Amino acid sequence: MRSLYREVASGGITTRPPQPDGYALMSAPTTANVGELLEWYAEMGVDVALSEEPVDRFKPAEVSPTPAPTAPSVRRPQAIVPTSDDTARQARDIAATAQTLDELRGALEAFEGCNLRLTATRMVFSDGSPDGRVMLVGEGPGRDEDIQGLPFVGRSGQLLDRMLGAIGLDRDAVYIANIVPWRPPGNRRPTPQETAVCRPFIERQIELADPDFLILLGGAAASELLDSREGILKLRGRWRSYETARRQIRALPTLHPAYLLRQPLHKRFAWRDFLSLREALDGSA
Ligand code: URA
């Protein structure tokens, strides 16, 4: 039963299940209430076990000459890196130094300034071809993407493939990436700090891929890359200009496939947006 109290992650904070002095669970779990405890975890969005023991990550670091033995863990607990202006500046410098997409991927792999990497299984950098004319940017990897290391491979990815297919494109002909390359625990939305620290990387990724058309999937990608506070239902369907150091790129915000799975009636809007992309592709050499 002890392992049920292992450290877990949800919503960017380390959490522990209700303790005997807490309000939800009045006694240690027994075989009778294990289901209740697991239900509580699920409701909190917890689906990652980090280690067998809870860790107080806010405790000041102890300087010890000999490292304390660590309990066997599912994943070694690491110190949370505070996201500061310095980290964002460091991210900008590192991203700007990358001259190719491969270099950028390597730089991001080595970058330790974003806490999302602590709970993710692997980094999700891109899929498809950077030589294509279309680049799509989503919000961040979900569970399937985290496992496979590729963007949009879960249910919303399958819908995206069908949407692309409907206008004669497939994922090998487009380039796909996300605002944040690590899965936010429990599929929550990335925090403004996480987005800010990852932003220089996706900006450089767009600059290096240099597509003719940028499709922003969902509110997070659209508001972040267009610096807009408007909701996606207002933003979608209108071509905008996205500026890189090289040139202006035509950018179209549209609805996120995961949203369309929840609101299938809105697929008609996304269909219009994808037709608009088709026309743009056909109308320009
Ligand atoms: N949702 C996203 O925004 N990106 C993915 O890669 C998968 C789901």
Side-chain angles (χ1 to χ4, degrees), residues 159-235:
L159 177 56
L160 181 62
D161 287 348
R162 291 200 296 278
M163 290 159 73
L164 289 168
I167 58 162
L169 294 174
D170 66 45
R171 71 162 52 218
D172 295 335
V174 299
Y175 187 56
I176 311 177
N178 279 306
I179 293 283
V180 298
W182 294 282
R183 179 196 184 197
N187 291 351
R188 63 162 170 76
R189 208 173 166 141
T191 64
Q193 290 78 8
E194 289 156 357
T195 308
V197 92
C198 293
R199 182 171 165 154
F201 292 99
I202 184 65
E203 285 179 341
R204 186 73 179 141
Q205 200 170 354
I206 297 169
E207 198 162 272
L208 291 169
D210 197 27
D212 290 336
F213 303 105
L214 187 59
I215 304 301
L216 305 172
L217 298 168
S223 56
E224 188 63 28
L225 292 175
L226 297 176
D227 283 318
S228 171
R229 296 178 138 229
E230 274 189 297
I232 188 64
L233 288 171
K234 285 216 166 137
L235 277 177

Side-chain angles (χ1 to χ4, degrees), residues 135-150:
M135 176 168 178
L136 300 111
V137 180
E139 177 176 315
R143 186 174 176 275
D144 295 308
E145 290 77 18
D146 181 61
I147 293 168
Q148 294 189 41
L150 291 169

